[in-house]
Amino acid sequence: MENQIVIGKIVAPHGVRGDIRILPLTDKPEQFLDLDYLLLPDGRRLTVKAARFHKRMVLVTTAEIKSMNESELLRGMEVSINAEDLPELEEGRFYVADLIGLPVYDEQGEQIGTFKDALSTGSNDVYVIAVPGQKDYLLPALKKYVKEINLAEKRIVVELPEWVEAE
């Protein structure tokens, strides 16, 4: 389960043949069209036979689920894929799951805290940096402030804006 990424949530059955309606929880919902499998929290692996979009949902037909009753039992479950099957990102883009727990340094090399999360605000993401003994810092995910993300060296370098109060 450790290297699995949640990409959607089953919200309802679709039709009588066991199709499932999934709410995508990913920046790239089109990846559902290329999937071979989905992983369920109980460890089951579903083989994807077909997927298509309907409104803002993805309708998925699997080899294993044959009836509306079977698909109803999946309602509310999250669906995942293995991290290595995620689509490649463009240069300079990262999956949040890869950043969580990385130490965050200022430009002088002092560790400020640890990357905790990224919040989507619409215009740009905001990085949440956990700072020991203080409130979390909220840092706009802009090149002006995020100077370097280095997964190989497991570190993030930032310039804190003046309005972030370092205590």
Side-chain angles (χ1 to χ4, degrees):
M1 292 285 287
E2 194 172 302
N3 282 337
Q4 295 178 359
I5 305 295
V6 173
I7 60 167
K9 184 173 186 170
I10 299 172
V11 293
H14 182 79
V16 296
R17 293 194 178 98
D19 290 356
I20 50 180
R21 186 184 308 245
I22 298 174
L23 173 66
L25 299 174
T26 170
D27 287 347
K28 296 189 178 290
E30 63 276 6
Q31 74 183 331
F32 277 93
L33 302 178
D34 297 323
L35 290 178
D36 296 326
Y37 70 93
L38 292 170
L39 302 171
L40 298 177
D42 61 12
R44 285 187 287 168
R45 182 182 176 109
L46 301 178
T47 306
V48 175
K49 289 171 56 178
R52 63 184 171 92
F53 287 100
H54 179 68
K55 299 183 181 168
R56 291 187 3 238
M57 300 290 166
V58 183
L59 305 180
V60 176
T61 304
T62 68
E64 294 79 5
I65 308 298
K66 307 274 190 215
S67 72
M68 185 189 301
N69 290 343
E70 288 179 86
S71 61
E72 178 63 45
L73 295 174
L74 304 178
R75 184 188 293 263
M77 286 189 181
E78 292 180 332
V79 293
S80 305
I81 60 172
N82 290 318
E84 64 263 17
D85 294 329
L86 286 169
E88 287 291 316
L89 294 176
E90 311 147 21
E91 181 75 27
R93 309 246 334 163
F94 302 91
Y95 287 108
V96 173
D98 293 337
L99 302 179
I100 291 175
L102 290 183
V104 178
Y105 298 92
D106 64 18
E107 291 183 292
Q108 288 70 47
E110 294 290 319
Q111 184 171 348
I112 300 167
T114 306
F115 188 96
K116 182 176 177 181
D117 201 0
L119 309 173
S120 289
T121 63
S123 56
N124 58 271
D125 286 351
V126 173
Y127 289 168
V128 180
I129 301 168
V131 182
Q134 298 182 35
K135 286 204 285 192
D136 293 345
Y137 288 166
L138 301 178
L139 184 71
L142 301 171
K143 286 184 178 162
K144 176 177 182 180
Y145 303 116
V146 181
K147 300 302 183 181
E148 176 189 6
I149 296 178
N150 189 325
L151 291 180
E153 294 180 18
K154 297 193 179 314
R155 64 193 206 118
I156 299 172
V157 178
V158 301
E159 176 185 321
L160 293 176
E162 309 79 54
W163 42 263
V164 171
E165 292 297 319
E167 296 175 19

